[in-house]
Amino acid sequence: MSSSSQAFQAPRGTYDILPATSGTVLAVREALAAPLRRAGYGYIETPVFEDVNLFSRGVGESTDIVTKEMFTLTTRSEESQQLALRPEATASVLRATLEANLHRAGNLPVKLWYSGSQYRYERPQKGRYRQFWQVGAEAIGAEDPALDAELIILADDAYRSLGLRNFRILLNSLGDKQCRPVYRQALQDYLRGLDLDEETRRRAEINPLRVLDDKRASVQDQLGGAPMLVDFLCEECKAYHEQVRELLTAAGVAFEDDPKLVRGLDYYTRTTFEFVHDGLGSQSAVGGGGRYDGLSEMIGGPELPSVGWALGVDRTVLALEAEGITLDVPAVTDVFAVPLGEQAKRVLFGAVTQLRRDGVSADLVFGGKGIKAAMKAADRSGARYAIVAGERDLADGVVQLKDLGSGDQTPVALDALVTTLKEKLQ
RNA sequence: GUGGGUGUAGCUCAGCUGGUAGAGCACUGGGUUGUGGUCUCAGGUGUCGCGGGUUCGAGCCCCGUCACUCACCCCA
């Protein structure tokens, strides 16, 4: 609101999910999670904040997420501790796994899924908020191309179940600790010879692969002759990647090889992928993920090769809008009661209570509106039936049951009302 | 962090070279003393984002400020 009569407004970069759209949001979260539930992933919740070092070590000291996008908090204890609102969930999920020794329970991989909000201190714009929601999945403790493929297929299934069609899957391999350093060196040598601004130059030294991702034409124009990671992959990485590709193809999941797909988090190794959609303003990713074989060791755990993804709920909603898809969100109210007079109000209030207890969603008019306004309220509630009753009806022991679709109205004995409605609403 | 755009009724917006603010929708009530979705009649609403300046006079011009928004950057 721009009006000063509103004393408070949602903090910058945040927004409220109101009833008009919350049904869609809930349905999207549910649809993104459904394939995971069918694939053996267990639900996990972790704290919204963690020790800041979990993220700086896990996500990476050189990433923008860590250097400038974290919301931090300081505890009040003597030896004050730095906490941060989670900018992503993978590090938290892995931390929880290690802390509870889930990886020692004997059956790897540990498959987990989550749904929750993440926080990044960024300048907001379309599809990018300071608090946003992700549904994510992690498969921890196994190195198997089938696991990478499984996750990509599950995400593809999730998007398709919502009716989304205009998204693409970008796929790449970032190599492993054998071959990536060699490539990194080669790329760095190349980048040093380019005409780049100071910040990009710095990035080239800390995390040269990310320069490939730069969208600016001034940078992209100079990358034509850059060495490509594909040409540096070791035999193991090549074979691994080829298997992922074959499994996806066999499952009928179309993807595009994108040798420049790097992604912004330091922990990725080998398989990386991104689901992109062009209905998100200048943002493109609706979801993304990859393999992170070294992350466990980075945060003090044993070697636990893992793979995971996160799908953006807000961005999926935008993608649906862009494709003109309206999800079938069931009406919240099936029956709406319109009493005429005080006596009728007591009777219908009782009827509504009984309907609710019997599992029928029912509502009634409040606040002493006139009948015209009350009928209007019934109409707007989306209910299929209205119950109208006044003294005349009650004297006959009936209420008027009106079908709000057709306009047909018939008297129904009051004591038969609940069973009649339950039958009609089957 | 950097740039552009926009702030007028609950919502979407109009408002000419400065002359004291409007439309549609929504809302409330009537036409129908007991019936919505169509029709029709009537009715109310504004610190024109905020603060300052110029002017006889500012929604309009100038300065500042805040908010929203889009893009860069980055990413879900």
Side-chain angles (χ1 to χ4, degrees), chain A residues 64 68 194-204 210-224 260:
Chain A
D64 282 3
K68 47 188 191 190
L194 301 182
D195 174 32
L196 300 169
D197 60 279
E198 198 184 329
E199 197 184 331
T200 309
R201 200 168 276 287
R202 203 178 313 124
R203 184 174 302 147
R210 300 250 322 293
V211 178
L212 295 176
D213 233 7
D214 201 311
K215 272 197 268 180
R216 290 173 297 183
S218 59
V219 176
Q220 280 301 324
D221 289 349
Q222 300 184 67
L223 295 177
K260 285 184 177 172

Side-chain angles (χ1 to χ4, degrees), chain A residues 36 41 44 89 112-116 134-138 151 308-311:
Chain A
L36 298 169
Y41 288 75
I44 182 170
L112 302 167
W113 76 275
Y114 59 85
S115 175
Q134 291 180 329
V135 170
E138 314 289 350
L151 278 164
W309 52 236
L311 311 182

Side-chain angles (χ1 to χ4, degrees), chain A residues 14 20 24 58 67-68 77 129 139 147 277 304 316 338 352 363 365:
Chain A
T14 69
T24 300
T67 54
K68 47 188 191 190
S77 56
Y129 309 101
L147 205 49
H277 195 282
L304 280 174
T316 301
V338 177
V352 163
D363 200 358
V365 70

Side-chain angles (χ1 to χ4, degrees), chain A residues 166-186:
Chain A
N166 304 336
F167 64 89
R168 294 176 296 135
I169 301 174
L170 307 180
L171 186 67
N172 193 22
S173 174
L174 292 182
D176 62 11
K177 60 183 171 211
Q178 304 303 320
C179 52
R180 176 131 61 131
V182 183
Y183 170 68
R184 186 190 144 101
Q185 189 60 53

Side-chain angles (χ1 to χ4, degrees), chain A residues 363-424:
Chain A
D363 200 358
L364 80 164
V365 70
F366 290 99
K369 288 192 177 75
I371 182 161
K372 189 168 176 150
M375 286 306 295
K376 214 165 184 171
D379 187 44
R380 250 181 315 197
S381 75
R384 285 170 60 192
Y385 295 98
I387 309 166
V388 185
E391 285 176 23
R392 293 211 297 264
D393 308 294
L394 296 178
D396 296 339
V398 301
V399 298
Q400 302 296 327
L401 184 58
K402 181 165 187 170
D403 183 319
L404 289 170
S406 65
D408 298 339
Q409 180 171 306
T410 50
V412 172
L414 183 57
D415 49 22
L417 178 63
V418 173
T419 44
T420 305
L421 274 169
K422 285 180 79 171
E423 271 171 37
K424 283 182 178 289

Side-chain angles (χ1 to χ4, degrees), chain A residues 3 24 64 69 99 157 163 173 178 188 202 210 244 247 251 254 284 318-319 321 325-326 330 334 348 373 380 424:
Chain A
S3 166
T24 300
D64 282 3
E69 295 175 6
E99 186 173 337
D157 288 348
S173 174
Q178 304 303 320
Q188 222 160 35
R202 203 178 313 124
R210 300 250 322 293
V244 174
L247 288 164
S284 60
L318 286 176
E321 282 169 15
I325 298 168
T326 310
D334 288 324
L348 290 195
R380 250 181 315 197
K424 283 182 178 289

